Amino acid sequence: MVGASRACGGKSVTDGEFDVLVLGAGSGGYACALRAAQLGLSVGLVEKGNLGGTCLHVGCIPTKALLHAAEVADSAREAAQFGVTATLDGIDMAGVNAYKDKVVDRLFKGLTGLIKSRGITVVQGTGTLTGPREVTVDGTAYTGKAVVLASGSYSKSLPGLEVDGEKVITSEHALRLDRVPASAIVLGGGVIGCEFASVWKSFGSEVTIIEALPRLVAAEDEASSKALERAFRKRKISFLTGTPFQSVKTTDTGVAVTVEGGDVIEAEVLLVAVGRGPSTDGLGYAEQGIEMDRGFVLADERCRTNVEGVYAVGDIVPGLQLAHRGFQQGIFVAEDIAGLDPRPVDDAGIPRVTYSHPEIASVGLDEARARELHGDAVTTVTYDLGGNGKSQILQTQGFVKLVSLVDGPVLGVHMVGDRVGELIGEAQLIYNWEAHADDVAPLVHAHPTQNEALGEAHLALAGKPLHAHS
């Protein structure tokens, strides 16, 4: 604490001076703090909310808990196809929220204890960058030989679209709902929008997605988007693509949304899921000379800003807004500060998962981008999960699609189907290893598992398909 010395990561801290001062304790910030302390550096961690940030409290963890509850609901509803007699009598949102909150609370307590055990000084309050190496919290200045900006992101809205937290809501409000809405409009067909649409449909809501871009999850390979759209149609999740939002009015029973062309759609709630913006406003970054672009902090491949000794990680840096990206960048920065010369984090090598029903998982380049870069030197193989025993046991449809250079490395792996997010670990190893089909094809995959689908896809890419038509 200020004015006193204490052991911190094996070093003495006096008068708020640290080797590493981190602003923000989300995935990127706390990972940086933990790794820096592990490397023997003194660490100060400034956080205005709870340790763990958006991901733990209002993002990844609670939304995936809802998605698991939705999977359980679907399992009960569809039990008869497995010969099990069961009925779905309804959704107890108080019980669902209690389960969700228990998961979050347990992880929060674990993280809090871990940070305390590493001797990291946690400074509670809103921090502002008041000097190149200085962060001020409630009038007290703290300094660091290196400062790491990790202030995270917030749910964005659109100009003229006012969020009231009741009828027009963000994902944070959606996580606290005490009821299942009878009907919902989801504005935005990206990851967040599709995940909530999937949850609410499983819980019994009538759902309509409005997306201005030509397809759902437009950042994914086109084949993955089309597969998700087919699955959503089968589940009777309505969606309008290539349809910009115009306005919303609240009514006695909910909301009335007008889209381009004049059509009006009514529902009980409108979820605004148009992406996340960088939480940098009012934190003093630009005032201290940090180069910015539309609120984002510009940083090089080593996460260094234009101001010496100041780094930036996570959602405030342009690129993928994923918790595990920030987490890995935080570790990288701690090791870089400690002089270990780590390898920079490659955005293309970061796995991406949409946890809807069915799931989408990918890593590397999609086919369109690969062809932009390499033209006719690109080849693709798609292995249908219809030939995979475990997928048939699970009654899921989808595929594994490989994008590769002819006689070269795999450039991208794209998967659709229930639980394919659990396959992305091997997929990212293949991409980051720059493996060729012949490197992967001989690997033994346990039977029956969905992992076999990756093996079969690489067998096909290597010119020797077995459970696939050549």
Short mmCIF file of all heavy atoms in Angstrom, two decimals, residues 314-373:
data_model
loop_
_atom_site.label_atom_id
_atom_site.label_comp_id
_atom_site.label_asym_id
_atom_site.label_seq_id
_atom_site.Cartn_x
_atom_site.Cartn_y
_atom_site.Cartn_z
N GLY A 314 -5.47 -6.37 -25.18
CA GLY A 314 -6.88 -6.71 -25.11
C GLY A 314 -7.77 -5.90 -26.03
O GLY A 314 -7.36 -5.46 -27.10
N ASP A 315 -9.01 -5.69 -25.60
CA ASP A 315 -10.05 -5.12 -26.45
C ASP A 315 -9.80 -3.68 -26.85
O ASP A 315 -10.43 -3.19 -27.80
CB ASP A 315 -11.41 -5.20 -25.75
CG ASP A 315 -11.96 -6.61 -25.70
OD1 ASP A 315 -11.31 -7.52 -26.25
OD2 ASP A 315 -13.05 -6.80 -25.11
N ILE A 316 -8.91 -2.96 -26.17
CA ILE A 316 -8.65 -1.57 -26.53
C ILE A 316 -7.70 -1.48 -27.71
O ILE A 316 -7.50 -0.40 -28.28
CB ILE A 316 -8.09 -0.74 -25.35
CG1 ILE A 316 -6.74 -1.29 -24.87
CG2 ILE A 316 -9.10 -0.67 -24.22
CD1 ILE A 316 -6.06 -0.40 -23.85
N VAL A 317 -7.09 -2.59 -28.12
CA VAL A 317 -6.17 -2.62 -29.25
C VAL A 317 -6.93 -3.15 -30.47
O VAL A 317 -7.60 -4.18 -30.38
CB VAL A 317 -4.96 -3.52 -28.97
CG1 VAL A 317 -4.01 -3.55 -30.16
CG2 VAL A 317 -4.23 -3.03 -27.72
N PRO A 318 -6.87 -2.49 -31.63
CA PRO A 318 -7.59 -2.97 -32.81
C PRO A 318 -7.28 -4.44 -33.10
O PRO A 318 -6.13 -4.88 -33.00
CB PRO A 318 -7.07 -2.07 -33.93
CG PRO A 318 -6.65 -0.81 -33.24
CD PRO A 318 -6.11 -1.25 -31.91
N GLY A 319 -8.32 -5.18 -33.46
CA GLY A 319 -8.15 -6.61 -33.74
C GLY A 319 -9.25 -7.41 -33.09
O GLY A 319 -10.29 -6.86 -32.70
N LEU A 320 -9.05 -8.70 -32.98
CA LEU A 320 -10.05 -9.58 -32.39
C LEU A 320 -10.33 -9.19 -30.94
O LEU A 320 -9.40 -9.05 -30.14
CB LEU A 320 -9.56 -11.03 -32.43
CG LEU A 320 -9.36 -11.66 -33.81
CD1 LEU A 320 -8.64 -13.00 -33.68
CD2 LEU A 320 -10.69 -11.84 -34.52
N GLN A 321 -11.59 -9.04 -30.61
CA GLN A 321 -11.97 -8.72 -29.22
C GLN A 321 -12.37 -10.02 -28.53
O GLN A 321 -13.55 -10.33 -28.37
CB GLN A 321 -13.09 -7.69 -29.20
CG GLN A 321 -12.61 -6.31 -29.65
CD GLN A 321 -13.70 -5.26 -29.56
OE1 GLN A 321 -14.79 -5.45 -30.06
NE2 GLN A 321 -13.40 -4.14 -28.94
N LEU A 322 -11.36 -10.76 -28.13
CA LEU A 322 -11.54 -12.06 -27.50
C LEU A 322 -10.76 -12.10 -26.20
O LEU A 322 -9.61 -11.64 -26.14
CB LEU A 322 -11.05 -13.19 -28.42
CG LEU A 322 -11.78 -13.32 -29.77
CD1 LEU A 322 -11.05 -14.29 -30.68
CD2 LEU A 322 -13.22 -13.78 -29.53
N ALA A 323 -11.37 -12.69 -25.17
CA ALA A 323 -10.72 -12.74 -23.86
C ALA A 323 -9.38 -13.44 -23.93
O ALA A 323 -8.39 -13.02 -23.32
CB ALA A 323 -11.63 -13.44 -22.86
N HIS A 324 -9.31 -14.54 -24.71
CA HIS A 324 -8.05 -15.30 -24.75
C HIS A 324 -6.97 -14.57 -25.54
O HIS A 324 -5.78 -14.82 -25.33
CB HIS A 324 -8.27 -16.72 -25.27
CG HIS A 324 -9.15 -16.84 -26.46
ND1 HIS A 324 -10.51 -16.73 -26.41
CD2 HIS A 324 -8.85 -17.09 -27.76
CE1 HIS A 324 -11.02 -16.91 -27.62
NE2 HIS A 324 -10.03 -17.12 -28.47
N ARG A 325 -7.37 -13.67 -26.44
CA ARG A 325 -6.35 -12.83 -27.09
C ARG A 325 -5.73 -11.89 -26.07
O ARG A 325 -4.50 -11.78 -25.97
CB ARG A 325 -6.99 -12.02 -28.21
CG ARG A 325 -6.05 -10.96 -28.84
CD ARG A 325 -6.84 -10.13 -29.84
NE ARG A 325 -6.05 -9.14 -30.53
CZ ARG A 325 -6.22 -7.81 -30.44
NH1 ARG A 325 -7.16 -7.32 -29.62
NH2 ARG A 325 -5.49 -6.97 -31.12
N GLY A 326 -6.57 -11.20 -25.28
CA GLY A 326 -6.05 -10.31 -24.25
C GLY A 326 -5.21 -11.06 -23.23
O GLY A 326 -4.15 -10.57 -22.80
N PHE A 327 -5.66 -12.24 -22.84
CA PHE A 327 -4.94 -13.08 -21.89
C PHE A 327 -3.53 -13.38 -22.39
O PHE A 327 -2.54 -13.20 -21.67
CB PHE A 327 -5.73 -14.38 -21.69
CG PHE A 327 -5.17 -15.32 -20.67
CD1 PHE A 327 -5.51 -15.21 -19.34
CD2 PHE A 327 -4.32 -16.36 -21.05
CE1 PHE A 327 -5.01 -16.09 -18.38
CE2 PHE A 327 -3.81 -17.24 -20.11
CZ PHE A 327 -4.16 -17.10 -18.77
N GLN A 328 -3.43 -13.81 -23.65
CA GLN A 328 -2.12 -14.17 -24.20
C GLN A 328 -1.25 -12.94 -24.39
O GLN A 328 -0.04 -12.98 -24.17
CB GLN A 328 -2.30 -14.90 -25.53
CG GLN A 328 -1.08 -15.71 -25.96
CD GLN A 328 -0.75 -16.81 -24.97
OE1 GLN A 328 -1.64 -17.43 -24.40
NE2 GLN A 328 0.53 -17.04 -24.75
N GLN A 329 -1.85 -11.82 -24.79
CA GLN A 329 -1.09 -10.57 -24.91
C GLN A 329 -0.55 -10.13 -23.55
O GLN A 329 0.57 -9.62 -23.46
CB GLN A 329 -1.96 -9.48 -25.52
CG GLN A 329 -2.22 -9.64 -27.01
CD GLN A 329 -3.12 -8.55 -27.55
OE1 GLN A 329 -3.91 -7.95 -26.83
NE2 GLN A 329 -3.01 -8.27 -28.84
N GLY A 330 -1.37 -10.31 -22.50
CA GLY A 330 -0.91 -9.94 -21.16
C GLY A 330 0.31 -10.73 -20.75
O GLY A 330 1.28 -10.17 -20.20
N ILE A 331 0.29 -12.03 -21.00
CA ILE A 331 1.46 -12.87 -20.70
C ILE A 331 2.65 -12.42 -21.52
O ILE A 331 3.78 -12.30 -21.01
CB ILE A 331 1.12 -14.34 -20.98
CG1 ILE A 331 0.06 -14.85 -20.00
CG2 ILE A 331 2.38 -15.22 -20.90
CD1 ILE A 331 -0.47 -16.23 -20.33
N PHE A 332 2.41 -12.16 -22.81
CA PHE A 332 3.49 -11.71 -23.70
C PHE A 332 4.15 -10.44 -23.16
O PHE A 332 5.39 -10.34 -23.10
CB PHE A 332 2.94 -11.46 -25.11
CG PHE A 332 3.91 -10.73 -26.00
CD1 PHE A 332 4.89 -11.42 -26.70
CD2 PHE A 332 3.88 -9.35 -26.10
CE1 PHE A 332 5.81 -10.74 -27.49
CE2 PHE A 332 4.78 -8.66 -26.89
CZ PHE A 332 5.75 -9.37 -27.59
N VAL A 333 3.34 -9.45 -22.77
CA VAL A 333 3.88 -8.17 -22.31
C VAL A 333 4.69 -8.36 -21.03
O VAL A 333 5.78 -7.78 -20.89
CB VAL A 333 2.74 -7.15 -22.10
CG1 VAL A 333 3.23 -5.95 -21.28
CG2 VAL A 333 2.21 -6.68 -23.44
N ALA A 334 4.20 -9.16 -20.10
CA ALA A 334 4.95 -9.41 -18.87
C ALA A 334 6.32 -10.00 -19.19
O ALA A 334 7.34 -9.59 -18.61
CB ALA A 334 4.16 -10.34 -17.96
N GLU A 335 6.35 -10.96 -20.10
CA GLU A 335 7.62 -11.60 -20.46
C GLU A 335 8.53 -10.63 -21.23
O GLU A 335 9.75 -10.67 -21.08
CB GLU A 335 7.35 -12.85 -21.28
CG GLU A 335 6.64 -13.94 -20.45
CD GLU A 335 6.37 -15.21 -21.22
OE1 GLU A 335 6.57 -15.21 -22.47
OE2 GLU A 335 5.97 -16.22 -20.60
N ASP A 336 7.93 -9.78 -22.04
CA ASP A 336 8.71 -8.79 -22.78
C ASP A 336 9.35 -7.79 -21.82
O ASP A 336 10.54 -7.45 -21.96
CB ASP A 336 7.81 -8.06 -23.78
CG ASP A 336 8.59 -7.33 -24.85
OD1 ASP A 336 9.35 -8.01 -25.58
OD2 ASP A 336 8.45 -6.10 -24.96
N ILE A 337 8.57 -7.32 -20.84
CA ILE A 337 9.10 -6.39 -19.84
C ILE A 337 10.24 -7.03 -19.06
O ILE A 337 11.24 -6.39 -18.72
CB ILE A 337 7.98 -5.93 -18.89
CG1 ILE A 337 6.97 -5.05 -19.64
CG2 ILE A 337 8.54 -5.18 -17.69
CD1 ILE A 337 5.70 -4.75 -18.88
N ALA A 338 10.10 -8.34 -18.79
CA ALA A 338 11.11 -9.06 -18.02
C ALA A 338 12.34 -9.43 -18.85
O ALA A 338 13.29 -10.03 -18.34
CB ALA A 338 10.50 -10.33 -17.42
N GLY A 339 12.32 -9.10 -20.14
CA GLY A 339 13.49 -9.34 -20.99
C GLY A 339 13.60 -10.73 -21.56
O GLY A 339 14.69 -11.15 -21.97
N LEU A 340 12.47 -11.46 -21.63
CA LEU A 340 12.53 -12.84 -22.13
C LEU A 340 12.43 -12.93 -23.66
O LEU A 340 12.59 -14.00 -24.22
CB LEU A 340 11.41 -13.67 -21.50
CG LEU A 340 11.42 -13.79 -19.98
CD1 LEU A 340 10.32 -14.75 -19.53
CD2 LEU A 340 12.77 -14.28 -19.48
N ASP A 341 12.12 -11.82 -24.32
CA ASP A 341 12.01 -11.76 -25.78
C ASP A 341 11.04 -12.80 -26.33
O ASP A 341 11.38 -13.64 -27.18
CB ASP A 341 13.38 -11.95 -26.44
CG ASP A 341 13.37 -11.58 -27.92
OD1 ASP A 341 12.55 -10.71 -28.30
OD2 ASP A 341 14.15 -12.17 -28.69
N PRO A 342 9.77 -12.78 -25.86
CA PRO A 342 8.78 -13.75 -26.35
C PRO A 342 8.37 -13.47 -27.79
O PRO A 342 8.57 -12.36 -28.30
CB PRO A 342 7.60 -13.55 -25.40
CG PRO A 342 7.71 -12.10 -25.01
CD PRO A 342 9.19 -11.81 -24.92
N ARG A 343 7.77 -14.47 -28.44
CA ARG A 343 7.29 -14.30 -29.80
C ARG A 343 5.95 -13.57 -29.78
O ARG A 343 5.06 -13.93 -29.00
CB ARG A 343 7.13 -15.67 -30.48
CG ARG A 343 6.81 -15.57 -31.97
CD ARG A 343 6.86 -16.92 -32.64
NE ARG A 343 5.74 -17.76 -32.22
CZ ARG A 343 5.51 -18.96 -32.72
NH1 ARG A 343 6.34 -19.48 -33.60
NH2 ARG A 343 4.46 -19.66 -32.31
N PRO A 344 5.74 -12.57 -30.65
CA PRO A 344 4.48 -11.83 -30.66
C PRO A 344 3.28 -12.74 -30.94
O PRO A 344 3.41 -13.79 -31.57
CB PRO A 344 4.67 -10.82 -31.80
CG PRO A 344 6.14 -10.64 -31.91
CD PRO A 344 6.73 -11.98 -31.58
N VAL A 345 2.12 -12.30 -30.48
CA VAL A 345 0.88 -13.05 -30.67
C VAL A 345 0.35 -12.76 -32.07
O VAL A 345 0.15 -11.61 -32.45
CB VAL A 345 -0.18 -12.64 -29.61
CG1 VAL A 345 -1.48 -13.41 -29.85
CG2 VAL A 345 0.35 -12.90 -28.20
N ASP A 346 0.12 -13.82 -32.85
CA ASP A 346 -0.40 -13.71 -34.21
C ASP A 346 -1.92 -13.80 -34.16
O ASP A 346 -2.48 -14.82 -33.79
CB ASP A 346 0.18 -14.84 -35.07
CG ASP A 346 -0.47 -14.94 -36.44
OD1 ASP A 346 -1.06 -13.93 -36.90
OD2 ASP A 346 -0.38 -16.02 -37.06
N ASP A 347 -2.62 -12.72 -34.55
CA ASP A 347 -4.08 -12.72 -34.49
C ASP A 347 -4.71 -13.85 -35.30
O ASP A 347 -5.72 -14.43 -34.91
CB ASP A 347 -4.63 -11.38 -34.98
CG ASP A 347 -4.97 -10.43 -33.82
OD1 ASP A 347 -4.43 -10.65 -32.72
OD2 ASP A 347 -5.74 -9.48 -34.03
N ALA A 348 -4.11 -14.17 -36.45
CA ALA A 348 -4.67 -15.23 -37.29
C ALA A 348 -4.58 -16.59 -36.61
O ALA A 348 -5.37 -17.49 -36.92
CB ALA A 348 -3.96 -15.27 -38.64
N GLY A 349 -3.64 -16.74 -35.70
CA GLY A 349 -3.47 -18.01 -35.00
C GLY A 349 -4.29 -18.14 -33.73
O GLY A 349 -4.16 -19.12 -33.00
N ILE A 350 -5.17 -17.15 -33.47
CA ILE A 350 -6.01 -17.17 -32.27
C ILE A 350 -7.32 -17.88 -32.60
O ILE A 350 -8.01 -17.52 -33.56
CB ILE A 350 -6.29 -15.74 -31.78
CG1 ILE A 350 -4.98 -15.07 -31.35
CG2 ILE A 350 -7.29 -15.76 -30.63
CD1 ILE A 350 -5.13 -13.59 -31.04
N PRO A 351 -7.69 -18.91 -31.84
CA PRO A 351 -8.94 -19.63 -32.12
C PRO A 351 -10.16 -18.77 -31.83
O PRO A 351 -10.16 -17.93 -30.92
CB PRO A 351 -8.87 -20.84 -31.18
CG PRO A 351 -7.94 -20.44 -30.09
CD PRO A 351 -6.95 -19.50 -30.70
N ARG A 352 -11.23 -19.01 -32.61
CA ARG A 352 -12.48 -18.25 -32.48
C ARG A 352 -13.63 -19.26 -32.35
O ARG A 352 -13.71 -20.21 -33.13
CB ARG A 352 -12.68 -17.38 -33.72
CG ARG A 352 -11.49 -16.50 -34.06
CD ARG A 352 -11.64 -15.79 -35.39
NE ARG A 352 -11.61 -16.68 -36.54
CZ ARG A 352 -10.52 -17.02 -37.21
NH1 ARG A 352 -9.33 -16.56 -36.83
NH2 ARG A 352 -10.59 -17.82 -38.27
N VAL A 353 -14.52 -19.01 -31.40
CA VAL A 353 -15.65 -19.92 -31.19
C VAL A 353 -16.93 -19.11 -30.97
O VAL A 353 -16.94 -18.16 -30.20
CB VAL A 353 -15.43 -20.85 -29.98
CG1 VAL A 353 -16.60 -21.83 -29.86
CG2 VAL A 353 -14.11 -21.62 -30.09
N THR A 354 -17.99 -19.51 -31.66
CA THR A 354 -19.34 -19.02 -31.40
C THR A 354 -20.10 -20.17 -30.75
O THR A 354 -20.26 -21.23 -31.36
CB THR A 354 -20.05 -18.59 -32.70
OG1 THR A 354 -19.27 -17.58 -33.35
CG2 THR A 354 -21.44 -18.05 -32.41
N TYR A 355 -20.56 -19.97 -29.52
CA TYR A 355 -21.11 -21.07 -28.71
C TYR A 355 -22.63 -21.22 -28.86
O TYR A 355 -23.33 -21.49 -27.90
CB TYR A 355 -20.74 -20.87 -27.24
CG TYR A 355 -19.26 -20.94 -26.98
CD1 TYR A 355 -18.47 -19.80 -27.06
CD2 TYR A 355 -18.65 -22.14 -26.64
CE1 TYR A 355 -17.11 -19.86 -26.83
CE2 TYR A 355 -17.28 -22.21 -26.40
CZ TYR A 355 -16.52 -21.06 -26.49
OH TYR A 355 -15.17 -21.12 -26.26
N SER A 356 -23.10 -21.03 -30.07
CA SER A 356 -24.52 -21.21 -30.34
C SER A 356 -24.80 -22.71 -30.53
O SER A 356 -23.91 -23.55 -30.38
CB SER A 356 -24.89 -20.44 -31.61
OG SER A 356 -24.01 -20.76 -32.67
N HIS A 357 -26.06 -23.03 -30.86
CA HIS A 357 -26.43 -24.41 -31.19
C HIS A 357 -26.88 -24.42 -32.63
O HIS A 357 -27.95 -23.93 -32.94
CB HIS A 357 -27.56 -24.87 -30.26
CG HIS A 357 -28.21 -26.16 -30.66
ND1 HIS A 357 -27.51 -27.26 -31.10
CD2 HIS A 357 -29.53 -26.52 -30.70
CE1 HIS A 357 -28.36 -28.25 -31.36
NE2 HIS A 357 -29.59 -27.81 -31.14
N PRO A 358 -26.01 -24.89 -33.59
CA PRO A 358 -24.70 -25.52 -33.38
C PRO A 358 -23.60 -24.48 -33.18
O PRO A 358 -23.79 -23.29 -33.42
CB PRO A 358 -24.50 -26.27 -34.70
CG PRO A 358 -25.17 -25.40 -35.72
CD PRO A 358 -26.39 -24.86 -35.02
N GLU A 359 -22.44 -24.98 -32.74
CA GLU A 359 -21.28 -24.11 -32.54
C GLU A 359 -20.53 -23.89 -33.86
O GLU A 359 -20.63 -24.70 -34.79
CB GLU A 359 -20.32 -24.73 -31.52
CG GLU A 359 -20.86 -24.77 -30.11
CD GLU A 359 -19.87 -25.32 -29.11
OE1 GLU A 359 -18.77 -25.79 -29.51
OE2 GLU A 359 -20.20 -25.29 -27.91
N ILE A 360 -19.79 -22.78 -33.91
CA ILE A 360 -18.84 -22.51 -34.99
C ILE A 360 -17.48 -22.33 -34.34
O ILE A 360 -17.36 -21.64 -33.34
CB ILE A 360 -19.20 -21.24 -35.77
CG1 ILE A 360 -20.56 -21.39 -36.46
CG2 ILE A 360 -18.13 -20.91 -36.80
CD1 ILE A 360 -21.01 -20.12 -37.17
N ALA A 361 -16.46 -22.96 -34.91
CA ALA A 361 -15.10 -22.79 -34.40
C ALA A 361 -14.15 -22.65 -35.59
O ALA A 361 -14.32 -23.33 -36.61
CB ALA A 361 -14.69 -23.98 -33.53
N SER A 362 -13.17 -21.77 -35.46
CA SER A 362 -12.25 -21.56 -36.57
C SER A 362 -10.92 -21.02 -36.08
O SER A 362 -10.81 -20.47 -34.99
CB SER A 362 -12.86 -20.58 -37.58
OG SER A 362 -13.07 -19.30 -37.00
N VAL A 363 -9.92 -21.19 -36.94
CA VAL A 363 -8.60 -20.60 -36.70
C VAL A 363 -7.94 -20.41 -38.06
O VAL A 363 -8.19 -21.20 -38.98
CB VAL A 363 -7.73 -21.48 -35.78
CG1 VAL A 363 -7.40 -22.82 -36.42
CG2 VAL A 363 -6.46 -20.75 -35.34
N GLY A 364 -7.16 -19.37 -38.19
CA GLY A 364 -6.47 -19.12 -39.45
C GLY A 364 -7.31 -18.36 -40.45
O GLY A 364 -8.27 -17.66 -40.08
N LEU A 365 -7.01 -18.51 -41.74
CA LEU A 365 -7.66 -17.75 -42.80
C LEU A 365 -8.91 -18.45 -43.30
O LEU A 365 -8.95 -19.68 -43.38
CB LEU A 365 -6.69 -17.57 -43.98
CG LEU A 365 -5.32 -16.95 -43.69
CD1 LEU A 365 -4.53 -16.85 -44.97
CD2 LEU A 365 -5.46 -15.59 -43.03
N ASP A 366 -9.94 -17.66 -43.64
CA ASP A 366 -11.07 -18.26 -44.33
C ASP A 366 -10.72 -18.40 -45.82
O ASP A 366 -9.67 -17.92 -46.28
CB ASP A 366 -12.35 -17.46 -44.11
CG ASP A 366 -12.32 -16.06 -44.70
OD1 ASP A 366 -11.40 -15.75 -45.50
OD2 ASP A 366 -13.22 -15.26 -44.38
N GLU A 367 -11.58 -19.08 -46.56
CA GLU A 367 -11.25 -19.36 -47.96
C GLU A 367 -11.10 -18.09 -48.78
O GLU A 367 -10.17 -17.96 -49.59
CB GLU A 367 -12.32 -20.26 -48.58
CG GLU A 367 -12.02 -20.63 -50.02
CD GLU A 367 -13.04 -21.55 -50.66
OE1 GLU A 367 -13.92 -22.07 -49.93
OE2 GLU A 367 -12.96 -21.77 -51.89
N ALA A 368 -11.99 -17.12 -48.57
CA ALA A 368 -11.95 -15.89 -49.36
C ALA A 368 -10.64 -15.15 -49.14
O ALA A 368 -9.99 -14.70 -50.10
CB ALA A 368 -13.13 -15.00 -49.00
N ARG A 369 -10.22 -15.02 -47.89
CA ARG A 369 -8.97 -14.31 -47.59
C ARG A 369 -7.76 -15.08 -48.12
O ARG A 369 -6.82 -14.48 -48.66
CB ARG A 369 -8.84 -14.11 -46.08
CG ARG A 369 -7.58 -13.39 -45.63
CD ARG A 369 -7.47 -12.01 -46.25
NE ARG A 369 -6.31 -11.27 -45.75
CZ ARG A 369 -5.70 -10.30 -46.43
NH1 ARG A 369 -6.16 -9.93 -47.63
NH2 ARG A 369 -4.66 -9.68 -45.92
N ALA A 370 -7.79 -16.40 -47.99
CA ALA A 370 -6.68 -17.21 -48.49
C ALA A 370 -6.52 -17.04 -49.99
O ALA A 370 -5.40 -16.93 -50.52
CB ALA A 370 -6.91 -18.68 -48.13
N ARG A 371 -7.66 -16.99 -50.72
CA ARG A 371 -7.58 -16.82 -52.17
C ARG A 371 -7.14 -15.41 -52.55
O ARG A 371 -6.48 -15.21 -53.58
CB ARG A 371 -8.92 -17.17 -52.81
CG ARG A 371 -9.26 -18.66 -52.69
CD ARG A 371 -10.35 -19.10 -53.64
NE ARG A 371 -10.69 -20.51 -53.42
CZ ARG A 371 -9.98 -21.54 -53.88
NH1 ARG A 371 -8.88 -21.32 -54.59
NH2 ARG A 371 -10.37 -22.78 -53.65
N GLU A 372 -7.50 -14.42 -51.73
CA GLU A 372 -6.99 -13.06 -51.96
C GLU A 372 -5.46 -13.04 -51.92
O GLU A 372 -4.81 -12.37 -52.72
CB GLU A 372 -7.52 -12.11 -50.87
CG GLU A 372 -8.91 -11.59 -51.09
CD GLU A 372 -9.32 -10.65 -49.97
OE1 GLU A 372 -8.42 -10.04 -49.34
OE2 GLU A 372 -10.52 -10.55 -49.68
N LEU A 373 -4.91 -13.78 -50.95
CA LEU A 373 -3.46 -13.77 -50.75
C LEU A 373 -2.71 -14.72 -51.68
O LEU A 373 -1.59 -14.42 -52.11
CB LEU A 373 -3.14 -14.15 -49.29
CG LEU A 373 -3.62 -13.18 -48.21
CD1 LEU A 373 -3.38 -13.76 -46.83
CD2 LEU A 373 -2.90 -11.83 -48.34
#
